[in-house]
Amino acid sequence: SPPMDLQPSYNVTSVTEFILLGLTERWELQPVLFAVFLLAYAATVGGNMGILAAILVEPKLHTPMYFFLGNLSLLDIGCVSVTVPPMLARLLSHEQAVPFAACLSQLFFFHLLAGVDCFLLTAMAYDRFLAICRPLTYTTRMGRGVQGALVAASWACSLGNALTHTVALSTLDFCGPNVVNHFYCDLPPLFRLACSSTRLNELLLFALGVVMAGAPTVLIVTSYLHVAAAVLRIRSAEGRKKAFSTCSSHLAVVGIFYGAGIFSYMRLGSVEASDQSKGVGILNTVLSPMLNPLIYSLRNPDVQGALRRVFTGRRVSA
């Protein structure tokens, strides 16, 4: 390509669209991928809608923990809807071009919703800490106002993060090539295509990653260290099992979500890394939201009972 100083300064950002390669360039596999991801999308939306319905119909689930879980289900529906339907449309139409503005808006909404997820999982860990370690003051410390404030703060922090990344990316120069080796628009693959320096963007990604993932991880680990200490002090084995069973589902969701997120963003690397990041992207955007309803309903008789009532149409017995 010609040196930067020979390019006309008024035409540096000449890229008006990006070409998303998707999951595979083999056309014969695309109908299979379409069917698999359509089923995964339907299962994710259906499962999370089921959890929301269960929380609404079951009075036993009208607690702070399930208020946060209901919000998490809404976020999971949003997260999967930002990435999967556009990918399905591209698989169906064989049209891989995405306008620059559409790419930016997808990136913004993905980071907004995934960021709220981060903080909500932290709020859920704080809820478990209060319920197990501070049971006498739990109802006053986790009142309706506190629940609302935690959700509002989660949205505010995540909005700041998503806006910062989107605005910072929009200031970069893209003069070609415009082929993105991914199935949705995200920061690391787009950084590789910029003609101008991405040093500030990468610093922002790292610094905000510490705030968005590092701080919540520290808070979650701290909460669960206190929870583990409190559970170990319970004398009966049955009591210990009951106390920790309320945390195991949350810990499983946290492990999947943070594991995939940290692996994806804390290593900006080579083309091989970008191929790996497609797999991590599937875990982040499809598998994690799809597994959440399963994880929360698998070992919870209250959720299972409520789901049965939702699907059979039976009312709660007095």
Side-chain angles (χ1 to χ4, degrees):
S1 61
M4 286 295 289
D5 57 340
L6 296 180
Q7 291 180 354
S9 58
Y10 57 83
N11 195 29
V12 175
T13 308
S14 56
V15 169
T16 57
E17 61 182 24
F18 291 106
I19 308 296
L20 290 181
L21 289 182
L23 289 170
T24 179
E25 293 177 70
R26 293 171 61 184
W27 293 105
E28 67 273 17
L29 287 177
Q30 301 210 348
V32 179
L33 284 174
F34 179 84
V36 168
F37 279 89
L38 182 62
L39 278 171
Y41 181 66
T44 304
V45 173
N48 283 289
M49 291 293 278
I51 288 285
L52 276 169
I55 291 167
L56 289 171
V57 304
E58 175 57 78
K60 283 184 189 171
L61 302 183
H62 296 173
T63 64
M65 182 68 176
Y66 289 99
F67 170 74
F68 293 130
L69 180 59
N71 276 277
L72 195 69
S73 289
L74 280 172
L75 284 169
D76 284 341
I77 292 168
C79 246
V80 79
S81 298
V82 166
T83 53
V84 175
M87 180 183 74
L88 291 174
R90 285 192 297 276
L91 283 170
L92 210 56
S93 66
H94 303 305
E95 176 56 66
Q96 293 174 297
V98 178
F100 188 82
C103 206
L104 275 184
S105 65
Q106 184 182 50
L107 184 140
F108 169 77
F109 284 110
F110 177 71
H111 279 269
L112 173 66
L113 296 168
V116 181
D117 249 1
C118 275
F119 291 115
L120 264 188
L121 289 169
T122 312
M124 289 166 89
Y126 176 60
D127 173 78
R128 291 299 82 207
F129 161 74
L130 288 180
I132 292 168
C133 302
R134 306 283 186 271
L136 298 177
T137 56
Y138 176 66
T139 48
T140 51
R141 288 198 192 190
M142 194 47 85
R144 286 279 173 90
V146 176
Q147 294 168 44
L150 285 169
V151 171
S154 300
W155 278 96
C157 293
S158 187
L159 179 64
N161 174 63
L163 270 176
T164 302
H165 285 312
T166 309
V167 171
L169 189 82
S170 68
T171 63
L172 292 177
D173 298 325
F174 294 93
C175 44
N178 67 338
V179 177
V180 181
N181 188 15
H182 216 309
F183 64 97
Y184 64 95
C185 293
D186 204 3
L187 295 165
L190 289 174
F191 289 169
R192 294 186 193 103
L193 302 180
C195 322
S196 52
S197 171
T198 59
R199 185 169 172 77
L200 175 64
N201 301 72
E202 289 178 19
L203 280 171
L204 275 173
L205 183 59
F206 183 80
L208 289 172
V210 170
V211 175
M212 298 294 293
T217 302
V218 169
L219 291 169
I220 290 169
V221 169
T222 305
S223 294
Y224 275 110
L225 285 174
H226 282 95
V227 166
V231 169
L232 290 172
R233 284 197 296 270
I234 298 171
R235 294 200 176 163
S236 73
E238 188 57 39
R240 284 199 296 271
K241 188 182 171 187
K242 189 181 175 186
F244 202 73
S245 70
T246 63
C247 308
S248 55
S249 302
H250 180 248
L251 279 170
V253 170
V254 166
I256 294 167
F257 183 81
Y258 279 100
I262 290 165
F263 187 78
S264 190
Y265 296 111
M266 288 295 145
R267 31 153 225 117
L268 300 169
S270 60
V271 178
E272 292 77 27
S274 126
D275 284 333
Q276 287 172 14
S277 71
K278 289 184 192 180
V280 178
I282 293 169
L283 184 62
N284 255 334
T285 61
V286 184
L287 287 179
S288 181
M290 188 167 68
L291 287 172
N292 287 359
L294 265 178
I295 291 167
Y296 273 100
S297 59
L298 212 56
R299 294 175 61 194
N300 192 317
D302 292 333
V303 174
Q304 289 166 8
L307 283 169
R308 273 195 295 274
R309 277 195 289 283
V310 168
F311 293 118
T312 58
R314 288 182 195 159
R315 294 190 173 277
V316 184
S317 55

